[in-house]
Amino acid sequence: MLVERGLKVMNVEAVGDAYAIAANFLRRSGAIPDTYVTNDRLLEIIVQAFHRGEGNKLRLANRAIAQFQAAPH
């Protein structure tokens, strides 16, 4: 599904799937709490990567995990 956000179009499914993959990994590793609350920092990392041109959900998730773990909290 595509959703228009301003002048940009976002594939919500790819972003949502990438978030689910990354959040699941980070929860299991203890990097984020095991709650159903969306981690805004993780979501922002994924959305920024998507806007830079990455559309593959696995690559989005892997890059987000790496960037989330590398940045100080």
PDB file of all heavy atoms in Angstrom, residues 40-63:
ATOM      1  N   ASP A  40      10.384   5.303  18.592  1.00  0.00           N
ATOM      2  CA  ASP A  40      10.424   6.378  17.602  1.00  0.00           C
ATOM      3  C   ASP A  40      11.787   6.512  16.927  1.00  0.00           C
ATOM      4  O   ASP A  40      11.864   6.796  15.732  1.00  0.00           O
ATOM      5  CB  ASP A  40      10.039   7.711  18.237  1.00  0.00           C
ATOM      6  CG  ASP A  40       8.581   7.752  18.643  1.00  0.00           C
ATOM      7  OD1 ASP A  40       7.759   7.043  18.029  1.00  0.00           O
ATOM      8  OD2 ASP A  40       8.248   8.498  19.588  1.00  0.00           O
ATOM      9  N   ARG A  41      12.854   6.312  17.681  1.00  0.00           N
ATOM     10  CA  ARG A  41      14.201   6.437  17.112  1.00  0.00           C
ATOM     11  C   ARG A  41      14.439   5.367  16.049  1.00  0.00           C
ATOM     12  O   ARG A  41      14.944   5.663  14.958  1.00  0.00           O
ATOM     13  CB  ARG A  41      15.253   6.334  18.219  1.00  0.00           C
ATOM     14  CG  ARG A  41      16.664   6.671  17.751  1.00  0.00           C
ATOM     15  CD  ARG A  41      17.587   6.884  18.939  1.00  0.00           C
ATOM     16  NE  ARG A  41      17.913   5.667  19.627  1.00  0.00           N
ATOM     17  CZ  ARG A  41      19.025   4.957  19.394  1.00  0.00           C
ATOM     18  NH1 ARG A  41      19.898   5.355  18.501  1.00  0.00           N
ATOM     19  NH2 ARG A  41      19.257   3.855  20.068  1.00  0.00           N
ATOM     20  N   LEU A  42      14.031   4.142  16.325  1.00  0.00           N
ATOM     21  CA  LEU A  42      14.185   3.057  15.353  1.00  0.00           C
ATOM     22  C   LEU A  42      13.341   3.323  14.106  1.00  0.00           C
ATOM     23  O   LEU A  42      13.818   3.163  12.981  1.00  0.00           O
ATOM     24  CB  LEU A  42      13.790   1.720  15.987  1.00  0.00           C
ATOM     25  CG  LEU A  42      13.861   0.497  15.079  1.00  0.00           C
ATOM     26  CD1 LEU A  42      15.273   0.275  14.550  1.00  0.00           C
ATOM     27  CD2 LEU A  42      13.362  -0.727  15.828  1.00  0.00           C
ATOM     28  N   LEU A  43      12.112   3.748  14.312  1.00  0.00           N
ATOM     29  CA  LEU A  43      11.242   4.039  13.175  1.00  0.00           C
ATOM     30  C   LEU A  43      11.813   5.156  12.313  1.00  0.00           C
ATOM     31  O   LEU A  43      11.801   5.073  11.083  1.00  0.00           O
ATOM     32  CB  LEU A  43       9.837   4.401  13.655  1.00  0.00           C
ATOM     33  CG  LEU A  43       8.819   4.690  12.570  1.00  0.00           C
ATOM     34  CD1 LEU A  43       8.637   3.489  11.644  1.00  0.00           C
ATOM     35  CD2 LEU A  43       7.486   5.087  13.194  1.00  0.00           C
ATOM     36  N   GLU A  44      12.342   6.190  12.943  1.00  0.00           N
ATOM     37  CA  GLU A  44      12.924   7.305  12.197  1.00  0.00           C
ATOM     38  C   GLU A  44      14.127   6.849  11.366  1.00  0.00           C
ATOM     39  O   GLU A  44      14.293   7.274  10.225  1.00  0.00           O
ATOM     40  CB  GLU A  44      13.332   8.433  13.149  1.00  0.00           C
ATOM     41  CG  GLU A  44      13.859   9.664  12.445  1.00  0.00           C
ATOM     42  CD  GLU A  44      12.825  10.332  11.541  1.00  0.00           C
ATOM     43  OE1 GLU A  44      11.623  10.251  11.822  1.00  0.00           O
ATOM     44  OE2 GLU A  44      13.240  10.943  10.536  1.00  0.00           O
ATOM     45  N   ILE A  45      14.950   5.979  11.917  1.00  0.00           N
ATOM     46  CA  ILE A  45      16.095   5.447  11.171  1.00  0.00           C
ATOM     47  C   ILE A  45      15.610   4.718   9.921  1.00  0.00           C
ATOM     48  O   ILE A  45      16.158   4.902   8.827  1.00  0.00           O
ATOM     49  CB  ILE A  45      16.930   4.494  12.057  1.00  0.00           C
ATOM     50  CG1 ILE A  45      17.625   5.272  13.176  1.00  0.00           C
ATOM     51  CG2 ILE A  45      17.951   3.718  11.223  1.00  0.00           C
ATOM     52  CD1 ILE A  45      18.242   4.392  14.250  1.00  0.00           C
ATOM     53  N   ILE A  46      14.572   3.915  10.052  1.00  0.00           N
ATOM     54  CA  ILE A  46      14.035   3.149   8.921  1.00  0.00           C
ATOM     55  C   ILE A  46      13.429   4.077   7.881  1.00  0.00           C
ATOM     56  O   ILE A  46      13.683   3.920   6.677  1.00  0.00           O
ATOM     57  CB  ILE A  46      13.019   2.108   9.412  1.00  0.00           C
ATOM     58  CG1 ILE A  46      13.745   1.026  10.227  1.00  0.00           C
ATOM     59  CG2 ILE A  46      12.256   1.488   8.247  1.00  0.00           C
ATOM     60  CD1 ILE A  46      12.834   0.077  10.966  1.00  0.00           C
ATOM     61  N   VAL A  47      12.653   5.050   8.325  1.00  0.00           N
ATOM     62  CA  VAL A  47      12.020   5.986   7.382  1.00  0.00           C
ATOM     63  C   VAL A  47      13.077   6.785   6.629  1.00  0.00           C
ATOM     64  O   VAL A  47      12.971   6.978   5.409  1.00  0.00           O
ATOM     65  CB  VAL A  47      11.021   6.908   8.110  1.00  0.00           C
ATOM     66  CG1 VAL A  47      10.558   8.043   7.213  1.00  0.00           C
ATOM     67  CG2 VAL A  47       9.831   6.098   8.613  1.00  0.00           C
ATOM     68  N   GLN A  48      14.120   7.229   7.322  1.00  0.00           N
ATOM     69  CA  GLN A  48      15.187   7.976   6.651  1.00  0.00           C
ATOM     70  C   GLN A  48      15.891   7.116   5.602  1.00  0.00           C
ATOM     71  O   GLN A  48      16.170   7.591   4.491  1.00  0.00           O
ATOM     72  CB  GLN A  48      16.190   8.499   7.668  1.00  0.00           C
ATOM     73  CG  GLN A  48      15.675   9.648   8.478  1.00  0.00           C
ATOM     74  CD  GLN A  48      16.648  10.088   9.555  1.00  0.00           C
ATOM     75  OE1 GLN A  48      17.749   9.541   9.690  1.00  0.00           O
ATOM     76  NE2 GLN A  48      16.254  11.080  10.338  1.00  0.00           N
ATOM     77  N   ALA A  49      16.173   5.865   5.930  1.00  0.00           N
ATOM     78  CA  ALA A  49      16.815   4.970   4.961  1.00  0.00           C
ATOM     79  C   ALA A  49      15.901   4.735   3.770  1.00  0.00           C
ATOM     80  O   ALA A  49      16.354   4.681   2.620  1.00  0.00           O
ATOM     81  CB  ALA A  49      17.182   3.645   5.625  1.00  0.00           C
ATOM     82  N   PHE A  50      14.606   4.607   4.027  1.00  0.00           N
ATOM     83  CA  PHE A  50      13.647   4.420   2.937  1.00  0.00           C
ATOM     84  C   PHE A  50      13.650   5.635   2.015  1.00  0.00           C
ATOM     85  O   PHE A  50      13.667   5.498   0.794  1.00  0.00           O
ATOM     86  CB  PHE A  50      12.238   4.170   3.496  1.00  0.00           C
ATOM     87  CG  PHE A  50      11.225   3.929   2.423  1.00  0.00           C
ATOM     88  CD1 PHE A  50      11.076   2.669   1.863  1.00  0.00           C
ATOM     89  CD2 PHE A  50      10.431   4.955   1.957  1.00  0.00           C
ATOM     90  CE1 PHE A  50      10.156   2.445   0.851  1.00  0.00           C
ATOM     91  CE2 PHE A  50       9.508   4.742   0.954  1.00  0.00           C
ATOM     92  CZ  PHE A  50       9.363   3.477   0.403  1.00  0.00           C
ATOM     93  N   HIS A  51      13.656   6.818   2.603  1.00  0.00           N
ATOM     94  CA  HIS A  51      13.653   8.048   1.796  1.00  0.00           C
ATOM     95  C   HIS A  51      14.958   8.234   1.025  1.00  0.00           C
ATOM     96  O   HIS A  51      14.972   8.924   0.007  1.00  0.00           O
ATOM     97  CB  HIS A  51      13.366   9.274   2.659  1.00  0.00           C
ATOM     98  CG  HIS A  51      11.934   9.389   3.061  1.00  0.00           C
ATOM     99  ND1 HIS A  51      10.899   9.516   2.175  1.00  0.00           N
ATOM    100  CD2 HIS A  51      11.363   9.370   4.283  1.00  0.00           C
ATOM    101  CE1 HIS A  51       9.754   9.581   2.810  1.00  0.00           C
ATOM    102  NE2 HIS A  51      10.003   9.480   4.103  1.00  0.00           N
ATOM    103  N   ARG A  52      16.033   7.606   1.492  1.00  0.00           N
ATOM    104  CA  ARG A  52      17.303   7.663   0.750  1.00  0.00           C
ATOM    105  C   ARG A  52      17.313   6.665  -0.411  1.00  0.00           C
ATOM    106  O   ARG A  52      18.277   6.603  -1.149  1.00  0.00           O
ATOM    107  CB  ARG A  52      18.474   7.408   1.685  1.00  0.00           C
ATOM    108  CG  ARG A  52      18.807   8.579   2.586  1.00  0.00           C
ATOM    109  CD  ARG A  52      20.144   8.407   3.286  1.00  0.00           C
ATOM    110  NE  ARG A  52      20.232   7.196   4.071  1.00  0.00           N
ATOM    111  CZ  ARG A  52      19.916   7.069   5.358  1.00  0.00           C
ATOM    112  NH1 ARG A  52      19.473   8.127   6.025  1.00  0.00           N
ATOM    113  NH2 ARG A  52      20.036   5.928   5.987  1.00  0.00           N
ATOM    114  N   GLY A  53      16.263   5.843  -0.512  1.00  0.00           N
ATOM    115  CA  GLY A  53      16.169   4.980  -1.679  1.00  0.00           C
ATOM    116  C   GLY A  53      16.146   3.484  -1.409  1.00  0.00           C
ATOM    117  O   GLY A  53      15.972   2.697  -2.338  1.00  0.00           O
ATOM    118  N   GLU A  54      16.338   3.073  -0.161  1.00  0.00           N
ATOM    119  CA  GLU A  54      16.319   1.641   0.140  1.00  0.00           C
ATOM    120  C   GLU A  54      14.874   1.174   0.269  1.00  0.00           C
ATOM    121  O   GLU A  54      14.120   1.722   1.049  1.00  0.00           O
ATOM    122  CB  GLU A  54      17.080   1.353   1.436  1.00  0.00           C
ATOM    123  CG  GLU A  54      17.156  -0.118   1.764  1.00  0.00           C
ATOM    124  CD  GLU A  54      17.782  -0.939   0.657  1.00  0.00           C
ATOM    125  OE1 GLU A  54      18.982  -0.772   0.398  1.00  0.00           O
ATOM    126  OE2 GLU A  54      17.049  -1.737   0.043  1.00  0.00           O
ATOM    127  N   GLY A  55      14.484   0.168  -0.491  1.00  0.00           N
ATOM    128  CA  GLY A  55      13.115  -0.321  -0.461  1.00  0.00           C
ATOM    129  C   GLY A  55      12.979  -1.760   0.007  1.00  0.00           C
ATOM    130  O   GLY A  55      11.870  -2.220   0.269  1.00  0.00           O
ATOM    131  N   ASN A  56      14.109  -2.462   0.127  1.00  0.00           N
ATOM    132  CA  ASN A  56      14.076  -3.859   0.554  1.00  0.00           C
ATOM    133  C   ASN A  56      13.946  -3.926   2.071  1.00  0.00           C
ATOM    134  O   ASN A  56      14.771  -3.369   2.797  1.00  0.00           O
ATOM    135  CB  ASN A  56      15.356  -4.560   0.094  1.00  0.00           C
ATOM    136  CG  ASN A  56      15.380  -6.012   0.480  1.00  0.00           C
ATOM    137  OD1 ASN A  56      15.602  -6.321   1.653  1.00  0.00           O
ATOM    138  ND2 ASN A  56      15.160  -6.878  -0.483  1.00  0.00           N
ATOM    139  N   LYS A  57      12.916  -4.624   2.548  1.00  0.00           N
ATOM    140  CA  LYS A  57      12.633  -4.634   3.987  1.00  0.00           C
ATOM    141  C   LYS A  57      13.744  -5.265   4.816  1.00  0.00           C
ATOM    142  O   LYS A  57      14.026  -4.807   5.924  1.00  0.00           O
ATOM    143  CB  LYS A  57      11.292  -5.308   4.274  1.00  0.00           C
ATOM    144  CG  LYS A  57      11.241  -6.770   3.931  1.00  0.00           C
ATOM    145  CD  LYS A  57       9.851  -7.327   4.158  1.00  0.00           C
ATOM    146  CE  LYS A  57       9.775  -8.785   3.739  1.00  0.00           C
ATOM    147  NZ  LYS A  57       8.415  -9.292   3.867  1.00  0.00           N
ATOM    148  N   LEU A  58      14.406  -6.284   4.298  1.00  0.00           N
ATOM    149  CA  LEU A  58      15.494  -6.908   5.056  1.00  0.00           C
ATOM    150  C   LEU A  58      16.710  -6.000   5.153  1.00  0.00           C
ATOM    151  O   LEU A  58      17.350  -5.898   6.205  1.00  0.00           O
ATOM    152  CB  LEU A  58      15.880  -8.255   4.448  1.00  0.00           C
ATOM    153  CG  LEU A  58      14.819  -9.352   4.576  1.00  0.00           C
ATOM    154  CD1 LEU A  58      15.265 -10.605   3.858  1.00  0.00           C
ATOM    155  CD2 LEU A  58      14.527  -9.638   6.034  1.00  0.00           C
ATOM    156  N   ARG A  59      17.041  -5.340   4.057  1.00  0.00           N
ATOM    157  CA  ARG A  59      18.161  -4.397   4.111  1.00  0.00           C
ATOM    158  C   ARG A  59      17.826  -3.203   4.995  1.00  0.00           C
ATOM    159  O   ARG A  59      18.684  -2.710   5.739  1.00  0.00           O
ATOM    160  CB  ARG A  59      18.554  -3.956   2.701  1.00  0.00           C
ATOM    161  CG  ARG A  59      19.393  -4.999   1.982  1.00  0.00           C
ATOM    162  CD  ARG A  59      20.075  -4.440   0.746  1.00  0.00           C
ATOM    163  NE  ARG A  59      19.132  -4.020  -0.276  1.00  0.00           N
ATOM    164  CZ  ARG A  59      18.729  -4.774  -1.291  1.00  0.00           C
ATOM    165  NH1 ARG A  59      19.189  -6.004  -1.430  1.00  0.00           N
ATOM    166  NH2 ARG A  59      17.880  -4.318  -2.176  1.00  0.00           N
ATOM    167  N   LEU A  60      16.578  -2.731   4.919  1.00  0.00           N
ATOM    168  CA  LEU A  60      16.158  -1.642   5.799  1.00  0.00           C
ATOM    169  C   LEU A  60      16.319  -2.049   7.263  1.00  0.00           C
ATOM    170  O   LEU A  60      16.848  -1.292   8.079  1.00  0.00           O
ATOM    171  CB  LEU A  60      14.690  -1.270   5.543  1.00  0.00           C
ATOM    172  CG  LEU A  60      14.380  -0.381   4.360  1.00  0.00           C
ATOM    173  CD1 LEU A  60      12.881  -0.345   4.103  1.00  0.00           C
ATOM    174  CD2 LEU A  60      14.902   1.022   4.588  1.00  0.00           C
ATOM    175  N   ALA A  61      15.840  -3.248   7.593  1.00  0.00           N
ATOM    176  CA  ALA A  61      15.919  -3.730   8.974  1.00  0.00           C
ATOM    177  C   ALA A  61      17.369  -3.880   9.421  1.00  0.00           C
ATOM    178  O   ALA A  61      17.740  -3.438  10.516  1.00  0.00           O
ATOM    179  CB  ALA A  61      15.179  -5.052   9.115  1.00  0.00           C
ATOM    180  N   ASN A  62      18.204  -4.491   8.603  1.00  0.00           N
ATOM    181  CA  ASN A  62      19.607  -4.708   8.967  1.00  0.00           C
ATOM    182  C   ASN A  62      20.356  -3.397   9.160  1.00  0.00           C
ATOM    183  O   ASN A  62      21.146  -3.248  10.098  1.00  0.00           O
ATOM    184  CB  ASN A  62      20.308  -5.592   7.937  1.00  0.00           C
ATOM    185  CG  ASN A  62      19.895  -7.032   8.047  1.00  0.00           C
ATOM    186  OD1 ASN A  62      19.507  -7.505   9.105  1.00  0.00           O
ATOM    187  ND2 ASN A  62      19.953  -7.755   6.942  1.00  0.00           N
ATOM    188  N   ARG A  63      20.123  -2.451   8.278  1.00  0.00           N
ATOM    189  CA  ARG A  63      20.785  -1.154   8.407  1.00  0.00           C
ATOM    190  C   ARG A  63      20.298  -0.410   9.644  1.00  0.00           C
ATOM    191  O   ARG A  63      21.073   0.240  10.339  1.00  0.00           O
ATOM    192  CB  ARG A  63      20.558  -0.313   7.155  1.00  0.00           C
ATOM    193  CG  ARG A  63      21.331  -0.845   5.976  1.00  0.00           C
ATOM    194  CD  ARG A  63      21.110  -0.050   4.728  1.00  0.00           C
ATOM    195  NE  ARG A  63      21.862  -0.669   3.629  1.00  0.00           N
ATOM    196  CZ  ARG A  63      21.808  -0.277   2.383  1.00  0.00           C
ATOM    197  NH1 ARG A  63      21.031   0.726   2.048  1.00  0.00           N
ATOM    198  NH2 ARG A  63      22.512  -0.882   1.460  1.00  0.00           N
TER     199      ARG A  63
END
